[in-house]
């Protein structure tokens, strides 16, 4: 199951650089995860200062 970014996202970008498969990008003023590319490793969630990322 892919990770998902909630509305609590601060759009700080900390998660984007941590994604080993490049599944995170900015879209409409916040970060979004491409579910088809996400490998659910949790690297993004571990660095999110807003705790806005969890398994979908």
């Amino acid at each position: 199951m892919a990770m998902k970014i909630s509305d609590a996202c601060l759009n700080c970008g900390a998660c984007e650089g941590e994604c080993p498969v490049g599944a995170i990008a900015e879209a409409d003023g916040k970060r979004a995860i491409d579910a088809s590319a996400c490998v659910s490793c949790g690297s993004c969630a571990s660095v999110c200062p807003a705790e806005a990322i969890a398994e979908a």
Side-chain angles (χ1 to χ4, degrees), residues 7-39:
D7 289 338
C9 176
L10 303 172
N11 198 25
C12 69
C15 59
E16 191 170 351
E18 289 297 313
C19 182
V21 294
I24 303 173
E26 188 171 9
D28 298 325
K30 67 177 186 174
R31 304 292 162 164
I33 297 175
D34 178 352
S36 65
C38 179
V39 295

